[in-house]
């Protein structure tokens, strides 16, 4: 098998895993070549070309300390992968997560450069997972992983380094990389969530979710606790017979 075919197979595997994570039917994962620039806007051309040529570092806001620090794209993506995906996952899954995380970050980078958010204090990205991607620093990982730090960090670094020059695009634009862990059997259309249609964020089957660990959890709660909670938070007066509390 030629080296070119081996590389193509590797790219196809990454595409498939990324599609699984993002729940989108078609992806363009390779950076446009320089001779394709006629079809790319100046802003997007800057984004894609800089992926190959070491674009400016990101400014990252630590939401716990309020401090903004400079971080390389590579180190940022590695910190996101470590925070968003278990280290036990296969290298190809880590690569897919890295591509999705990098794409998300680049889109955010250019959005913030065009319309800065005062809350980010001059940064383009935040460590706050409620408004951005989750991120964990190497110092935190050393405490979390202990003696396994070197092995785990090398695993993530190798996966990220192999795909750091790749992002996901649609019409030569970095996509909205709205990845998630599980989707309950099917993904949701962007229009249903955000009120705006996105061609590549459409419902697709995700029935294999049911095969994943922790897909379902059963929690036993005493009747008294349920009744009390509903009353406190919903001002709901429940009848004495629990059989009449809920209907499906």
């Amino acid at each position: 098998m030629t080296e070119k075919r081996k590389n193509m197979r590797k790219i196809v595997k990454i595409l498939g895993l990324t599609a699984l994570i993002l729940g989108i039917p078609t992806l363009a994962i390779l950076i446009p070549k320089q001779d394709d620039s006629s079809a790319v806007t100046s802003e997007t051309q800057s984004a894609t070309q800089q992926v190959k040529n070491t674009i400016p570092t990101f400014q990252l806001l630590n939401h716990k300390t309020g401090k903004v620090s400079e971080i390389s794209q590579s180190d940022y993506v590695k910190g996101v992968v470590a925070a968003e995906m278990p280290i036990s996952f296969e290298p190809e899954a880590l690569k897919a997560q890295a591509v999705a995380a990098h794409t998300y970050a680049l889109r955010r980078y250019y959005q913030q450069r065009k319309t800065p958010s005062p809350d980010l204090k001059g940064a383009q990205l935040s460590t706050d997972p409620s408004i951005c991607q989750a991120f964990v620093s190497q110092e935190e990982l050393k405490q979390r992983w202990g003696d396994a730090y070197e092995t785990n960090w090398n695993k993530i670094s190798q996966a990220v380094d192999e795909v750091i020059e790749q992002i996901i695009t649609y019409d030569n634009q970095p996509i909205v990389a709205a990845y998630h862990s599980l989707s309950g059997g099917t993904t949701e259309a962007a229009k249903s969530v955000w009120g705006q249609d996105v061609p590549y964020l459409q419902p697709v089957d995700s029935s294999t979710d049911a095969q994943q660990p922790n897909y379902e959890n059963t929690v036993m709660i005493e009747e008294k606790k349920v009744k009390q909670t509903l009353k406190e938070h919903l001002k709901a007066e429940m009848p004495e017979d629990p059989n009449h509390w809920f209907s499906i």
Side-chain angles (χ1 to χ4, degrees):
M1 183 181 293
T2 65
E3 187 64 24
K4 184 176 181 180
R5 287 186 178 179
K6 289 181 180 178
N7 290 336
M8 285 301 295
R9 284 195 172 187
K10 185 180 293 185
I11 291 170
V12 169
K13 289 171 72 177
I14 294 174
L15 280 168
L17 282 165
T18 307
L20 178 62
I21 290 176
L22 297 174
I24 55 182
T26 57
L27 303 172
I29 196 170
L30 298 180
I31 305 302
K33 295 180 180 178
Q34 194 165 4
D35 56 6
D36 295 331
S37 59
S38 60
V40 185
T41 65
S42 59
E43 184 71 7
T44 305
Q45 182 180 3
S46 175
T48 55
Q49 289 299 321
Q50 285 177 356
V51 172
K52 288 182 133 182
N53 301 322
T54 312
I55 78 165
T57 53
F58 293 142
Q59 301 296 318
L60 179 65
L61 172 65
N62 186 319
H63 73 289
K64 296 178 180 178
T65 65
K67 294 182 179 180
V68 175
S69 59
E70 189 173 69
I71 187 170
S72 70
Q73 289 185 76
S74 177
D75 283 346
Y76 173 73
V77 173
K78 290 172 184 177
V80 172
V81 172
E84 294 280 5
M85 183 169 281
I87 188 62
S88 59
F89 277 28
E90 294 294 328
E92 293 301 315
L94 296 175
K95 292 177 189 178
Q97 177 65 63
V99 174
H102 196 185
T103 302
Y104 178 98
L106 282 173
R107 186 180 180 92
R108 180 96 175 183
Y109 173 88
Y110 284 100
Q111 286 177 334
Q112 287 300 312
R113 198 173 74 165
K114 184 177 180 180
T115 310
S117 169
D119 294 338
L120 292 181
K121 302 179 179 180
Q124 302 92 32
L125 302 164
S126 170
T127 60
D128 185 352
S130 68
I131 62 172
C132 202
Q133 302 180 107
F135 174 87
V136 60
S137 68
Q138 292 187 52
E139 289 71 24
E140 292 173 294
L141 288 174
K142 288 177 182 177
Q143 295 182 355
R144 178 187 302 178
W145 288 335
D147 294 339
Y149 169 77
E150 290 294 338
T151 299
N152 292 347
W153 183 252
N154 288 339
K155 181 179 180 180
I156 286 179
S157 293
Q158 183 176 351
V160 172
D161 289 344
E162 287 188 25
V163 296
I164 195 61
E165 292 187 354
Q166 300 174 6
I167 62 170
I168 311 165
T169 65
Y170 181 86
D171 283 347
N172 292 317
Q173 299 278 351
I175 69 164
V176 178
Y179 58 85
H180 52 272
S181 176
L182 296 172
S183 58
T186 183
T187 62
E188 188 63 83
K191 190 172 184 178
S192 300
V193 179
W194 298 311
Q196 183 176 355
D197 187 50
V198 179
Y200 52 83
L201 292 180
Q202 302 297 328
V204 295
D205 178 73
S206 184
S207 55
T208 53
D209 283 354
Q211 302 172 15
Q212 305 307 311
N214 301 320
Y215 177 71
E216 290 184 341
N217 288 300
T218 301
V219 178
M220 304 298 292
I221 307 175
E222 294 181 356
E223 295 175 7
K224 182 179 179 181
K225 179 65 175 179
V226 173
K227 189 174 183 179
Q228 179 183 350
T229 301
L230 290 173
K231 184 176 182 179
E232 290 179 357
H233 295 277
L234 300 179
K235 309 300 181 185
E237 293 291 343
M238 310 305 291
E240 291 299 325
D241 186 356
N243 292 321
H244 299 299
W245 288 1
F246 307 102
S247 62
I248 299 177

